Amino acid sequence: MNGDKRTEKARLICRNCSTSIPLDAPVWLCPKCEHSLEIQIQSNFPVRKIASRKPDLWRYREALPIRSNKNIISLGEGYTPMLRYAVKKRWIWIKQEHLSPSGSFKDRGAAVLINHLNSIGVKEVVVDSSGNAGAAISAYCAAAGLKCRVFVPAAASSAKLKQIKRYGAVPELINGTRDETTQAALRAARDTYSASHYRNPFFLHGTKTLAFEICEQLGWKCPDTVILPIGNGSLVLGVSLGFRELKSAGIIPHLPRLIGVQAENCAPVYNAFHELLPTKTNKIHATFAEGIAVSHPFRLNDILDSIHLHGGTMISVTETEIESALHQAWGKGFYIEPTASAGLAGTLKYIDSAAGDEIIVTAFTGHGLKYGG
Ligand SMILES: *Cc1c(COP(=O)(O)O)cnc(C)c1O
Ligand SMILES: [Zn+2]
């Protein structure tokens, strides 16, 4: 089936009230009940054709919810190297997501989302992240010529905010907390469009390509275990979606085990998964891994469902373990930011209980050049 026939049938579905909307409607929440939407689309994997295409994520075009393959705006996202990495006298695989165009895996979600918006004629978006998600959306808005307003707390200042401004996005400084900033962005999104990486369903259909690449780079084989950091869950939810699509299409026989990693200092998903007492759940401290310091993940239940579906578990890592994994990676020539070492820190903890021949994959999620430290 070519892209047009597939996407004509595709719908946006509300899981709460079952409202069904055409894929090209400019909505990002259910218009009836304001619940988040899901994309219902058939994904195909013509592996021989895929192998003949350019090394970017558009090689999986029969699995992407984009109506036309013409006029794709690309900065070369996806198909990052997957390298062997020695851990405790054995090898694991690490996807080099920090080598993405704006420096994090979030370019996958941003590329698919912004191409969708460009194809349906949306001209302006709002974002409430001054981190890697904001940078990725700003980069693709710059490439596509969309106006991008980024809501940030007035007190914020970071290398990532500089990157956002350099791409030409317009910062909207909000006097208040992170939550108040999010509320202001949501109000602004009522008249425009929210490109939120954890609310918008198109974002996950970009991050899912990480699962496709892991399989393809293993020779279309399913790994045994995939270990990923979790903040808002756009990475783990996308990767789970990707593996489920590969299984439905008959490309892999079963799902890999999916293990989520959080910093002990901010571990709402870990605590919920292990049903820890609320007193512990409420205790949130600052963490070195600021990119996953999310105290109330919007899609918490979806994340828990995914981990269970993949027969996985949640691991938490201490500040010392995060820092030590970071220094280990740096010492081997991998220049990543602190948050990006959480997956490796979790893997170092998990590996003693792994089977000898287990194929384990993790990811370096963000680039070290953005980290002033
Ligand atoms: C966003 C981010 C994560 C976590 O991704 P979520 O989608 O929030 O779970 C991990 N590492 C880096 C570097 C990030 O920017
Ligand atoms: Zn609804």
Side-chain angles (χ1 to χ4, degrees):
M1 236 191 264
N2 68 28
D4 294 337
K5 276 196 211 130
R6 261 185 346 109
T7 50
E8 263 163 41
K9 282 196 194 159
R11 308 287 293 179
L12 291 163
I13 307 282
C14 173
R15 265 204 317 193
N16 183 45
C17 75
S18 304
T19 293
S20 162
I21 306 159
L23 195 69
D24 54 8
V27 296
W28 52 278
L29 279 178
C30 174
K32 286 204 183 126
C33 76
E34 303 212 325
H35 196 270
S36 54
L37 295 167
E38 267 182 27
I39 300 170
Q40 204 172 62
I41 192 167
Q42 197 198 327
S43 290
N44 303 310
F45 301 90
V47 296
R48 243 186 251 130
K49 267 195 209 161
I50 291 172
S52 71
R53 291 175 182 156
K54 275 199 302 191
D56 62 32
L57 61 76
W58 302 101
R59 66 203 273 108
Y60 309 108
R61 64 186 67 138
E62 290 88 355
L64 296 175
I66 301 292
R67 195 166 288 259
S68 168
N69 299 316
K70 294 183 201 105
N71 310 319
I72 293 288
I73 287 147
S74 172
L75 295 168
E77 55 284 343
Y79 222 73
T80 54
M82 185 160 82
L83 301 179
R84 283 199 319 172
Y85 184 101
V87 161
K88 299 190 181 172
K89 300 208 175 116
R90 58 184 286 176
W91 296 107
I92 61 163
W93 294 98
I94 306 190
K95 279 289 272 177
Q96 310 291 312
E97 292 294 291
H98 61 301
L99 302 181
S100 304
S102 84
S104 83
F105 78 86
K106 295 205 173 70
D107 286 335
R108 295 178 185 276
V112 169
L113 172 56
I114 299 303
N115 269 286
H116 164 69
L117 297 183
N118 201 38
S119 77
I120 65 168
V122 168
K123 302 283 182 224
E124 178 181 340
V125 302
V126 302
V127 174
D128 70 344
S129 157
S130 54
N132 284 329
I137 296 285
S138 301
Y140 285 87
C141 281
L146 266 61
K147 185 175 177 198
C148 180
R149 289 157 68 204
V150 182
F151 285 72
V152 287
S157 78
S158 68
K160 288 166 190 168
L161 187 53
K162 272 193 197 146
Q163 184 186 12
I164 287 167
K165 290 183 195 160
R166 285 170 182 156
Y167 283 132
V170 182
E172 302 276 359
L173 302 180
I174 303 299
N175 280 312
T177 61
R178 204 38 287 160
D179 282 345
E180 286 161 346
T181 307
T182 302
Q183 290 312 315
L186 283 175
R187 277 194 301 277
R190 290 191 186 279
D191 327 311
T192 52
Y193 189 94
S194 169
S196 161
H197 62 296
Y198 52 91
R199 286 193 172 83
N200 197 298
F202 285 89
F203 200 94
L204 298 185
H205 283 256
T207 54
K208 75 180 181 184
T209 58
L210 183 58
F212 304 163
E213 290 175 21
I214 290 171
C215 275
E216 187 180 358
Q217 288 169 326
L218 290 171
W220 291 106
K221 258 178 59 186
C222 186
D224 297 303
T225 306
V226 180
I227 305 178
L228 297 171
I230 298 184
N232 272 306
S234 77
L235 180 59
V236 85
L237 289 171
V239 166
S240 168
L241 176 64
F243 281 116
R244 280 181 278 135
E245 289 187 357
L246 288 166
K247 182 165 175 269
S248 304
I251 302 285
I252 56 172
H254 57 82
L255 298 176
R257 185 179 302 123
L258 199 47
I259 298 179
V261 185
Q262 291 208 295
E264 200 177 280
N265 276 0
C266 185
V269 184
Y270 173 90
N271 290 342
F273 186 86
H274 295 291
E275 293 176 4
L276 293 182
L277 294 174
T279 47
K280 192 150 188 197
T281 319
N282 293 335
K283 225 169 77 189
I284 304 282
H285 302 284
T287 168
F288 196 36
E290 42 116 23
I292 50 170
V294 179
S295 54
H296 299 285
F298 180 69
R299 292 183 187 260
L300 177 63
N301 289 331
D302 292 344
I303 299 171
L304 294 171
D305 288 349
S306 289
I307 301 288
H308 282 295
L309 182 73
H310 286 258
T313 188
M314 288 296 304
I315 292 180
S316 73
V317 287
T318 63
E319 295 300 290
T320 314
E321 286 166 333
I322 294 167
E323 204 163 348
S324 131
L326 179 67
H327 285 274
Q328 187 195 87
W330 284 349
K332 290 173 188 267
F334 296 91
Y335 201 54
I336 56 172
E337 65 171 294
T339 306
S341 70
L344 176 60
T347 307
L348 290 166
K349 223 166 174 169
Y350 169 76
I351 200 138
D352 293 327
S353 64
D357 58 351
E358 198 169 315
I359 300 173
I360 302 172
V361 182
T362 184
F364 285 147
T365 47
H367 206 291
L369 287 174
K370 299 200 217 190
Y371 171 62

